[in-house]
Amino acid sequence: MAFVKGMAMGEPDKNLALNFFKAAIGFLDRLAKDRNAEGNEAVHELIHFIHNDFGEGDVPKDIPTRDMILNEIEHLKGEREHFIRNFP
């Protein structure tokens, strides 16, 4: 939340941001490798919510959980690279 607050105020902490991306990508990577996650409805709903821009998008619900996780990992990696290149 501190990272988001810093971004909203135009004063992001670079180390905090990089730690956020590392933690989020690491979590999703472990989730993608967890065989129990694929068939878990709660995991599917959570990942769909995240992948669907926190409920604001139009991502279909029938996308496999692992596919959404892997897509979200790539999205976060891209956001991290964009952040690094354009750090204020």
Side-chain angles (χ1 to χ4, degrees):
M1 291 307 295
F3 165 60
V4 173
K5 182 179 177 185
M7 289 295 289
M9 295 177 67
E11 301 172 359
D13 179 306
K14 189 171 187 176
N15 288 328
L16 186 62
L18 294 176
N19 285 335
F20 163 79
F21 286 115
K22 181 180 179 181
I25 292 167
F27 169 75
L28 289 173
D29 187 52
R30 288 187 304 277
L31 195 59
K33 293 174 182 170
D34 183 347
R35 288 186 275 145
N36 295 319
E38 184 65 32
N40 187 305
E41 185 62 28
V43 172
H44 182 82
E45 288 296 319
L46 173 63
I47 296 302
H48 180 262
F49 178 73
I50 294 168
H51 191 63
N52 199 28
D53 293 329
F54 297 92
E56 299 295 321
D58 59 357
V59 175
K61 284 221 174 197
D62 62 347
I63 297 174
T65 304
R66 188 165 190 280
D67 291 350
M68 287 191 289
I69 294 169
L70 294 175
N71 188 280
E72 202 58 35
I73 290 170
E74 292 308 310
H75 175 75
L76 284 170
K77 287 178 178 178
E79 289 291 320
R80 178 184 60 196
E81 294 309 312
H82 177 73
F83 177 81
I84 291 169
R85 281 192 313 272
N86 299 297
F87 184 74

